[in-house]
Amino acid sequence: MTTDPQTVDSTDFATIAQLIASARQRAVQAVNTTLIELYWQIGEHISRKIAASEWGDGVVDQLARYLAQTQPGLRGFTRANLFRMRQFYEAYAADEFVAPLVRQIPWTHHLIILSQSKQAEERGFYLRLVAQEKWSKRQLERQFKAALFERTVLTPAKASAVLSQTHPEAISVFKDSYLIEFLDLPQGHAEADLHRGLLSRLKDFLIELGRDFCFVGSEYPVQVGGRDFALDLLFFHRGLNSLVAIELKVGRFEPEYLGKLNFYLEALDRDVKKPHENPAIGVLLCASKDDEVVEYALSRSTLPALIAEYQTQLPDKALLRAKLHEFYLQNTPTLTGDTD
């Protein structure tokens, strides 16, 4: 005897599907962790043998041939890859803060970081961000082309003192400049072009902003005193537990823009913010800015705000690397024979 078919809520099926997807993700992560641990151990073994003069480079060639003969079908253990495992171990073994992160990152990401980073600080920078932002291989390669490390060191986010005091972690969340080359905006574009482009490529813009940003609305309605106003873009940042208002300007930053941003933040805090949330944060995203004008404008501002610029083309990475080298030369203490 068969029972009559029943109508089942599809959310029940979605729950099962989510359980399967989560289990598969955990399985993939477990495989990656095991693989990275293996590469780390092999790299450590080779490194110690060579450091102790027990092995020369030629022995690694012999090891590669031995593995190919004794384990046919085994891939990824060529001479070049074995030396990469040694480089992998030696790059992070001495860094107690970074080493625990290496097992969270896929091997392909490690290869990109090791091949394109010039120094330990840069490797650690990208390693932490990959673990935090969950970038794909393509997204990581874009960040290298965008010279994110150089830009972050040379031009940290320009924030008001109020924001630095109330949200000290916000300085590491926001950037001084945001790259939106994916919009292909023409010269002389209007604010409507910028606004429309960001909405059409919202996923890419969210990746550029950061993983914890959630989109709330465009031309978000704000009503004060019987009048209607529209905020360009409204986001929420989960880590900061704050609404983030972004006002767009296709020209250079002008000090008077802060007055309007102040108005929007006050309206958000009074009428939109939830009781458990922190005060809203404002970002003026301009086509250009004069850093001295920004410093003056923010010096006595009571706003939890930042001034940033957007760039429509990838920067000249070689030029930024040269500036970074000069920056390190100027800010590295010189050793002298003087003693206190």
Side-chain angles (χ1 to χ4, degrees), residues 3 6 15 20 36 82 91 101 108 112 130 175 210 238 288 307 316-317 319 331:
T3 59
Q6 296 178 330
T15 300
I20 295 172
I36 296 301
L82 290 171
L101 292 174
T108 54
I112 294 171
V130 169
K175 304 173 187 175
R238 296 170 59 207
S288 64
I307 313 300
D316 185 334
K317 185 166 184 175
L319 177 61
N331 290 275

Side-chain angles (χ1 to χ4, degrees), residues 182-196:
F182 47 82
L183 296 187
D184 294 323
L185 288 171
Q187 289 289 338
H189 56 271
E191 187 175 302
D193 299 323
L194 173 61
H195 197 158
R196 185 165 49 249

Side-chain angles (χ1 to χ4, degrees), residues 148-165:
L148 179 60
F149 173 71
E150 292 84 352
R151 288 160 47 215
T152 300
V153 174
L154 292 170
T155 54
K158 306 296 189 296
S160 66
V162 172
L163 181 60
S164 300
Q165 293 167 5

Side-chain angles (χ1 to χ4, degrees), residues 203-246:
K203 179 180 178 181
D204 295 304
F205 187 45
L206 282 169
I207 292 172
E208 177 66 7
L209 288 175
R211 186 175 180 83
D212 270 352
F213 280 89
C214 305
F215 181 62
V216 177
S218 166
E219 296 184 324
Y220 191 84
V222 175
Q223 190 174 63
V224 178
R227 295 179 57 186
D228 293 324
F229 301 88
L231 173 61
D232 286 341
L233 296 169
L234 184 61
F235 294 85
F236 185 82
H237 191 276
R238 296 170 59 207
L240 298 175
N241 193 31
S242 295
L243 291 165
V244 178
I246 298 183

Side-chain angles (χ1 to χ4, degrees), residues 40 80 86 183 197 205 228 249 262 276 295 324 326:
W40 180 273
R86 174 197 175 192
L183 296 187
F205 187 45
D228 293 324
K249 301 294 180 183
N262 180 47
H276 66 277
E295 193 273 325
L324 184 63
E326 182 180 350

Side-chain angles (χ1 to χ4, degrees), residues 54-231:
E54 296 179 27
W55 284 12
D57 289 354
V59 177
V60 180
D61 291 330
Q62 297 174 35
L63 173 61
R65 290 195 295 270
Y66 173 81
L67 292 174
Q69 292 169 2
T70 59
Q71 302 191 49
L74 183 67
R75 301 177 61 184
F77 294 89
T78 62
R79 176 187 183 278
N81 280 343
L82 290 171
F83 273 112
R84 288 190 185 100
M85 294 173 201
R86 174 197 175 192
Q87 179 192 12
F88 169 58
Y89 168 76
E90 292 178 348
Y92 302 116
D95 193 331
E96 61 178 321
F97 298 105
V98 170
L101 292 174
V102 299
R103 292 159 183 80
Q104 302 177 30
I105 310 300
W107 181 242
T108 54
H109 291 58
H110 279 301
L111 294 180
I112 294 171
I113 293 172
L114 289 170
S115 65
Q116 299 200 39
S117 296
K118 302 297 183 183
Q119 53 188 301
E121 183 183 357
E122 184 178 10
R123 287 195 299 268
F125 173 84
Y126 283 109
L127 198 65
R128 282 187 286 269
L129 279 177
V130 169
Q132 173 185 311
E133 300 293 331
K134 311 299 181 187
W135 285 332
S136 66
K137 175 184 173 182
R138 180 179 178 183
Q139 290 161 0
L140 175 59
E141 289 175 333
R142 175 181 176 269
Q143 296 300 341
F144 271 104
K145 291 178 182 177
L148 179 60
F149 173 71
E150 292 84 352
R151 288 160 47 215
T152 300
V153 174
L154 292 170
T155 54
K158 306 296 189 296
S160 66
V162 172
L163 181 60
S164 300
Q165 293 167 5
T166 58
H167 297 82
E169 65 276 30
I171 304 303
S172 63
V173 168
F174 295 95
K175 304 173 187 175
D176 182 69
S177 63
Y178 291 88
L179 281 173
I180 54 172
E181 84 289 350
F182 47 82
L183 296 187
D184 294 323
L185 288 171
Q187 289 289 338
H189 56 271
E191 187 175 302
D193 299 323
L194 173 61
H195 197 158
R196 185 165 49 249
L198 292 175
L199 290 178
S200 67
R201 299 292 296 272
L202 185 59
K203 179 180 178 181
D204 295 304
F205 187 45
L206 282 169
I207 292 172
E208 177 66 7
L209 288 175
R211 186 175 180 83
D212 270 352
F213 280 89
C214 305
F215 181 62
V216 177
S218 166
E219 296 184 324
Y220 191 84
V222 175
Q223 190 174 63
V224 178
R227 295 179 57 186
D228 293 324
F229 301 88
L231 173 61

